[in-house]
Amino acid sequence: MSYLKAVILAGGFATRLRPLSCSRPKTLFPIVNKPLLQGIFEELASSDVEEVVLAVNALTQFHIKQQKLSKCGLKIRYVIDPPKTPLGTAGSIKNAEKLVGHDKSFIVLNGDILTSIDYKQLFNVHVNADALATIALCKVDNPCRYGVAELEEGNRIKRFIEKPAEGQAPTNLINAGVYVLSPKVFDYIPERGYCSIEHEIFPVLAKEHRLFGHMFNGLWMDIGKPEDYLLTNKFILDRLALANELKTFKKAKVEMPIAVDTHVVVGKRTVIGPYVTLGKNVVIGDNVQICNSIIFSDVKIGNNTIVDGAIIGEGAIVGENVHVNKRCIIADQAKIRDNVSLNEDLAVCPAKEVSETILKRNIIC
Ligand code: GTP
């Protein structure tokens, strides 16, 4: 198999995952205690990809380098968006033009998806169709949140509509956020500034009959919103549960599936699970209940606290007798004092302190 290159788009602002994404790029969010980007590297390396260009902003590059991920034998290079100027998906692909070169087609993928797609197969389909772009397509129940493709004979895409209005999607086949581009596509993207491949380039290529689709049935999940992120972890926990032995703590109860990283301490009469991931060095007190939640590394949770369906960021401290309700997001290093109850859907920004029960406001910053 010849040498494959991939561009990973990972420089967006991840606004829908705020405030967790204020201190960590989306592509480094842990999926069952492993950064998403690490899983992406593993998948690409096993598909004969040899070189990866990470299209990021300077802060995302800093965070990725700090993580010291295994490169899995890939040659990794970075292309950085100019300061304060988001380039969008197509703009950041254009920015990678010099590094990618014009010798052959290349794979592009969003840095916020988990997929089992066969990249080699997608590449071969693209080459055989003599396409300018070939989008991996998967079927979903509600396509309106995504880019929707209408196919005609020979898997040519007749129309591509980004985020159609409710009820207006012509099919339920969506852009999986993975595609192969011919280097000729660089000529369709303006030299500088913001440009969206989904809004501005795919529809043009479809009109010129040079846009193709490749349907696949494997795993595909994106972590764009908190509920997607929780669901992705839940799905992977279910898969791992089959392979993993039952996790036990000396004096606490476990309801599988759960995943526990190293140096975790759990107190007496505490119940962990189902669907909980505990990151490194998490310390949990006595008589605590945690279910359907993601707890990042270095979190401390006091006695008699309940966490139900929430995400708690790295280094956060949750006091005793606290109730963290469904869909709450407590960002990195935030502190929740004792005896506080957090209403459903409440978000606490990084390093903020909450000392009284919050029933009405949605965000504490
Ligand atoms: P939201 O603000 O929540 O919509 O997230 P996002 O813009 O970060 O992600 P979106 O799903 O809209 O973008 C798809 C992928 O493209 C993600 O992996 C982003 O990181 C990436 N991306 C989006 N905009 C840019 C950009 O301006 N520059 C770069 N380098 N990547 C981008």
Side-chain angles (χ1 to χ4, degrees):
M1 182 71 190
S2 55
Y3 187 90
L4 291 183
K5 283 184 195 174
V7 175
I8 303 178
L9 303 178
F13 292 144
T15 50
R16 292 165 297 161
L17 278 174
R18 283 181 187 156
L20 274 175
S21 55
C22 295
S23 43
R24 167 186 299 96
K26 190 160 51 165
T27 197
L28 290 178
F29 273 46
I31 307 294
V32 185
N33 291 328
K34 176 160 82 177
L36 174 57
L37 186 60
Q38 183 68 76
I40 293 175
F41 283 174
E42 288 166 12
E43 283 289 327
L44 291 173
S46 70
S47 296
D48 289 345
V49 172
E50 293 185 20
E51 189 174 337
V52 163
V53 176
L54 280 159
V56 292
N57 56 54
L59 192 58
T60 297
Q61 182 194 35
F62 170 80
H63 282 292
I64 293 173
K65 287 193 164 175
Q66 286 245 316
Q67 284 275 324
K68 301 202 177 357
L69 305 175
S70 158
K71 291 180 181 165
C72 306
L74 297 164
K75 179 177 176 190
I76 310 274
R77 297 193 289 172
Y78 291 87
V79 61
I80 312 295
D81 289 7
K84 296 185 191 153
T85 321
L87 294 175
T89 44
S92 52
I93 293 168
K94 181 77 177 171
N95 202 29
E97 183 172 358
K98 277 206 184 106
L99 286 188
V100 171
H102 282 250
D103 53 330
K104 64 187 288 194
S105 293
F106 55 97
I107 299 162
V108 180
L109 61 147
N110 291 349
D112 61 350
I113 52 163
L114 190 69
T115 176
S116 65
I117 188 167
D118 184 336
Y119 293 101
K120 263 187 290 187
Q121 193 186 26
L122 177 69
F123 188 85
N124 290 336
V125 166
H126 170 83
V127 171
N128 293 336
D130 191 26
L132 282 186
T134 305
I135 308 177
L137 301 172
C138 62
K139 268 191 185 161
V140 295
D141 293 335
N142 179 10
C144 295
R145 280 177 56 191
Y146 306 98
V148 182
E150 190 178 353
L151 286 180
E152 57 186 15
E153 220 174 291
N155 287 333
R156 207 183 287 272
I157 296 179
K158 197 166 128 193
R159 269 199 305 163
F160 183 85
I161 310 165
E162 184 65 13
K163 297 189 180 66
E166 207 64 42
Q168 300 297 306
T171 70
N172 58 355
L173 284 177
I174 62 141
N175 169 12
V178 180
Y179 34 91
V180 179
L181 299 183
S182 147
K184 291 193 191 100
V185 174
F186 285 129
D187 299 337
Y188 287 73
I189 309 172
E191 204 57 53
R192 276 174 224 292
Y194 183 92
C195 182
S196 156
I197 196 146
E198 299 84 358
H199 283 104
E200 297 167 64
I201 309 297
F202 287 156
V204 173
L205 298 180
K207 274 199 186 130
E208 293 184 6
H209 312 290
R210 299 297 301 279
L211 184 65
F212 286 74
H214 170 63
M215 276 184 279
F216 77 102
N217 295 316
L219 166 70
W220 182 81
M221 307 191 90
D222 83 317
I223 64 161
K225 298 198 290 185
E227 51 271 41
D228 301 329
Y229 178 52
L230 279 162
L231 258 180
T232 302
N233 275 272
K234 194 167 180 236
F235 181 86
I236 299 299
L237 278 172
D238 265 332
R239 282 189 150 194
L240 293 176
L242 300 171
N244 278 3
E245 283 178 28
L246 185 73
K247 178 80 201 173
T248 49
F249 296 105
K250 264 192 196 144
K251 293 173 182 163
K253 192 174 161 208
V254 167
E255 291 186 15
M256 291 298 273
I258 67 165
V260 181
D261 211 325
T262 50
H263 307 298
V264 169
V265 178
V266 178
K268 301 187 283 283
R269 298 181 306 281
T270 281
V271 184
I272 309 285
Y275 298 109
V276 171
T277 60
L278 302 178
K280 277 193 192 95
N281 310 320
V282 166
V283 177
I284 298 171
D286 297 339
N287 199 32
V288 171
Q289 292 174 47
I290 308 178
C291 63
N292 301 310
S293 296
I294 302 169
I295 315 296
F296 284 47
S297 303
D298 301 303
V299 166
K300 290 189 175 55
I301 298 179
N303 299 335
N304 306 312
T305 280
I306 298 174
V307 180
D308 174 7
I311 307 171
I312 303 188
E314 191 172 326
I317 298 177
V318 180
E320 299 194 354
N321 198 28
V322 169
H323 198 148
V324 184
N325 275 296
K326 288 188 176 41
R327 299 177 301 278
C328 278
I329 297 177
I330 298 173
D332 295 357
Q333 314 296 337
K335 187 168 181 182
I336 314 299
R337 293 259 186 200
D338 295 348
N339 306 313
V340 161
S341 186
L342 301 183
N343 205 14
E344 290 182 0
D345 298 300
L346 186 107
V348 181
C349 285
K352 290 295 159 192
E353 191 166 322
V354 179
S355 52
E356 57 190 50
T357 290
I358 309 284
L359 296 176
K360 287 200 176 123
R361 286 171 65 194
N362 284 336
I363 184 152
I364 307 298
C365 51

